[in-house]
Amino acid sequence: MRSMFKASVAALGLTAITAGGAIADGHGLSGDLKIFLDTSNPAPRATMEAMIADFGELHPNLNIETTVIDREAYKTQIRNFLTADAPDVATWYAANRMRPYVEAGLFEDVSDLWAEPEIATNLASTKGAMTIDNKQWGVPYTYYQWGVYYRKDIYEELGLTEPTDWAEFKSNCQAIVDSGRSCFTIGSKFLWTAGGWFDYLNVRTNGFDYHMDMAAGNVPWTDDGVKQTFANWRELIDMGAFVENHQNYSWQEALPFMVNGESAGYLMGNFAVAPLREAGLTDDQLDFYQFPSINPDVALAEDAPTDTFHIPSNAQNKEAAREFLRYVVSADVQTTINNGANLGQLPVNASASVDDDKFLNEGFEMLSTNSPGGVAQFFDRDFPAEMAAEAMQGFQEFMVFPDNLDDILARLEKVRERTNK
Amino acid sequence: MTSVPDTEIDRGGRGWYKRNEIAVTPWLFLAPAVFFFAVYVIIPIFQSINLSFYDWDGLGEATFVGFDNYIELADDGAFEVSLWNNLKWLVFYLLAIPAGLFIALFLNQTVAGIRLYKSLFFFPFVISQVVVGLVFSWFYLPNEGLLNGVLGLVGIDPINVLGDPTLATYGIIAAGLWPQTAYCMILYLTGLNAVDPEQVEAARLDGAKGWKMLWYVIVPQLKPATFIAFVVTIIGALRSFDLISIMTNGGPFGQTRVLSFYMFEKALSEYGFRMGYGAAIAVVLFLIMLVFIAYFLWSMWSEEKGR
């Protein structure tokens, strides 16, 4: 759980002395820097630790202490450590997900960093996601696209191509169902996967602005627009598009259906690519397409969840923490940590280069040129926590018992009215 | 420390402690336990009750809302579901007591290797609840699970126990019964050692056997074991949490939640920012427990008095 860099820092300190202190020149950061990370999966963890070690090399007088906390446990622990024993830097998520901590005054305002030209020009695209009350509360370090990952070989076998509109999306699906497979695998045990489907169906049916207005609590769940979203969703459910018994599986447990060819696709974030490749799917079998347009009158918009670094208000060494944030978002570091061998995601710095990976290139292309409507974070990051929890549970129920829809929507509307107070 | 005999010469009038030794010493011994029990149990109870009258996200300022949390609870469908599930747990979890008794009776014999059989039966209680939950969720898997394999052999259509909102709670209770039965079994095995062979002998001479022997001669002698088994099973039912968290995570769509799990979700989980509401749920759970606690205390007290 805990990795100390004291030893390596001490060793580097020695080399710095022998090198005549050239490295330490001009920085002069000293003291302790406590970093809390939620990147507990093996690859991200190694990436982060390597990046921090490199940062330590630049600042030999800085004693860096890194703590890696399990990603799920982190979500509940953050409340305790921000108030009680705050680190100097902590990972978290953008948009509404950081709002409770911003409003409680637990995150440091880092608008000064965003005013620096280096960051202001290169990180402009994610500024909105980091802004609450016209101030910025952290910096992003990675983001990734969502979309449909599909089995190209199955599509070819059935003579299908990537759908470009809703009608083709459905006719493709019908053909896949007729071949005895399900169109999409999904594991809704932990609910958020269903939130992804709602995001895309709602954004494609009613548009990005409507969706964000809903997230802000201004649209009732019983609105006709919402009902249309669910009607579209229901078409897929009635068709048998989704894998059965999805309420029993986590998103990882739903992967084998796609690997075994029982399901032809998966609406997921780019992090699904790594386990699918590990399970033996080659790039000839696996491909990606953007969720097609449903309502031609609304502009395409995408989900691209952003992971972030923040400085807690109670941090001890804010100067070093700011320097660390600058380091993380710099173009070179962004290029390195997001490449295929490391995080395998998209760099947030416009001057950084995207690793030469099929899916990263497609995702980058899609987000930079074909998402005119806007970029959302993700259902549970855009909607307030309580609303998101209730709603995602409702989505799961809807996917199993579509007839309960009116009841579900009435329930969600009640929650919206209360959380909006 | 206070029981060390006083070796000094008694110089006239005895000290205050000496005079009150008999009355004070028990309290001195009790003091550490009383202190920690108060700090970690009694005071938090009142803090929870107090908190349940506030609206607080755990971070910012708490605002007093009176009985609003309770009024909302009364109208909360998810709370109602949790309450009913708690009741199901209380009723069906008690099956562990007769099941444990019968396994204990079955194992209470001298055959070669009986110790091995006993330990095998006791094994599920030793392994972690998390492991029990995982094993059972694999057992219940809709396609690959052992349960549906067996059902398929006798020609029954596969059922998705944990994915079906009406069956899922019973599925989890069944998983919980596995270790709990083992626990009750071990309690009864020790109880059976204390059964008076002369009474059994006498009953035999009077012609008692089978069920009558069990019901009128053996079971009454097992009363202390039954009482403990009842206490631990009720407590186990009310604190069921880990199995639910592992097997269904409260789902499908919240149909397997119990009060403790719902409280956790509302107050402490990933999306939980309602400390006051969570505290109100905890207070309701506490009141339910209070009924049982009062009964346990009363029955222990009357037993003490009867001696």
Side-chain angles (χ1 to χ4, degrees), chain A residues 334-353:
Chain A
Q334 279 296 308
T335 305
T336 312
I337 66 171
N338 284 299
N339 72 20
N342 288 311
L343 295 177
Q345 296 180 354
L346 298 169
V348 292
N349 190 314
S351 308
S353 46

Side-chain angles (χ1 to χ4, degrees), chain A residues 79 245 247-248 380 396 418, chain B residues 72 160 163 253 270-272:
Chain A
R79 259 175 283 186
N245 298 321
Q247 69 269 36
N248 291 50
D380 67 355
Q396 189 199 32
R418 196 190 53 243
Chain B
E72 195 188 324
N160 179 7
F253 28 94
E270 191 180 341
Y271 306 107

